[in-house]
Amino acid sequence: AFLGTIKLFLIAGVGSMIGGLLLAAMRVSPVPVLRTFGTAYVNILRNTPLTLVFFFFAFAYPRLEIVDLSFFARACTALIVYTSAFVCEVVRSGINTVPVGQAEASRALGLRFTQTLSAIILPQAVRSVVPPLTNVQIALLKNTTIAAGFSVFEAGGIYQTLSERGYNVLIGLLWVALGFLVLVVPLTLLQRRLEQRWSVAR
C-alpha cells in the first residue's frame, strides 16, 4: 500500500512541478491569452475541493471517451491537475522577488522571453521558494490518501482491509501515521538542506 502511495507521490510530484512551471510562465507571459488562461486555471482549481477533482476523473472523465485510463492513472492526473495550481502560485511569487531590472537588461541584450525566463528569472525564483514549494509537495503526499476512496490501492485504504479482517483499526492507523511520518521527514530534511545551500542573501 505504501508503495502505491510513493508511486502516486513521485508521478504527481514531477507532473505538478512541470505543470506548475508552465502555468507560472503563462501567468507572467506577455501574451494576454496565455495570462488569461493561466489566471483562470489557477483561480478555478485553487477554489475547487480536491475530492471534486477526483470525482470528475473517476466518474465524468470515462464518459468523455478520450483516452481509456486506469484508476491509478486518473488518480495521478487528478493530483497533477490540482497541485499544479498551487505550484504555479509559489513559483510566481518567487518570480516577483526577482528585480525587474534583470528582465529589462536581458531584453536589452536581445534575449527572448523564454530565454529570459529559463536562464535568468526561474533559477533565481526557485531558490527563493524552496520552503513553500516543499510544503506544497508535503501536502501532495498527504492528499494521496484521497485516492483510496477511488479504488487506488495506497496507504490511505489500509484501514478498510484491517476492518474487513477484524484487526485493530486504531493500531493499524497509528502505523499508517508513522509510515507517513517516515515519508515526510526526508522531505523536510531535504527542504532544510536546499534552503541552506540555495539561500538568497537578503
Side-chain angles (χ1 to χ4, degrees):
F2 270 102
L3 182 60
T5 292
I6 294 172
K7 286 181 180 178
L8 269 175
F9 170 67
L10 291 178
I11 295 173
V14 173
S16 63
M17 288 293 291
I18 296 172
L21 288 172
L22 290 175
L23 286 170
M26 290 182 183
R27 294 212 63 183
V28 298
S29 169
V31 182
V33 175
L34 293 179
R35 285 201 310 272
T36 302
F37 174 81
T39 301
Y41 182 99
V42 170
N43 288 335
I44 292 172
L45 267 296
R46 287 182 70 195
N47 293 291
T48 301
L50 177 56
T51 307
L52 189 60
V53 178
F54 265 97
F55 267 113
F56 172 79
F57 281 99
F59 304 112
Y61 177 83
R63 295 178 177 273
L64 299 178
E65 298 181 353
I66 301 175
V67 179
D68 188 20
L69 298 175
S70 65
F71 274 113
F72 182 83
R74 278 182 263 167
C76 289
T77 305
L79 289 170
I80 291 171
V81 167
Y82 182 78
T83 310
S84 292
F86 293 88
V87 173
C88 167
E89 286 303 275
V90 170
V91 173
R92 189 175 69 90
S93 67
I95 291 175
N96 290 336
T97 64
V98 179
V100 179
Q102 296 200 25
E104 294 175 347
S106 64
R107 284 197 296 269
L109 292 173
L111 296 179
R112 297 190 298 274
F113 171 76
T114 54
Q115 293 174 319
T116 301
L117 192 64
S118 61
I120 297 174
I121 305 299
L122 280 181
Q124 298 180 72
V126 170
R127 284 174 52 188
S128 65
V129 297
V130 168
L133 206 54
T134 307
N135 290 335
V136 170
Q137 295 302 314
I138 290 174
L140 168 62
L141 176 58
K142 297 175 182 177
N143 286 338
T144 58
T145 57
I146 299 178
F150 295 89
S151 301
V152 177
F153 188 58
E154 54 79 59
I158 290 177
Y159 74 94
Q160 296 174 347
T161 303
L162 292 174
S163 178
E164 290 172 359
R165 297 184 180 181
Y167 294 115
N168 191 316
V169 176
L170 179 59
I171 294 177
L173 291 180
L174 288 175
W175 278 106
V176 172
L178 180 61
F180 271 98
L181 187 63
V182 170
L183 294 176
V184 169
V185 167
L187 289 176
T188 305
L189 295 177
L190 177 62
Q191 170 191 336
R192 292 177 182 174
R193 176 70 174 171
L194 294 177
E195 194 173 0
Q196 291 172 356
R197 190 172 179 180
W198 294 346
S199 58
V200 179
R202 299 294 180 186

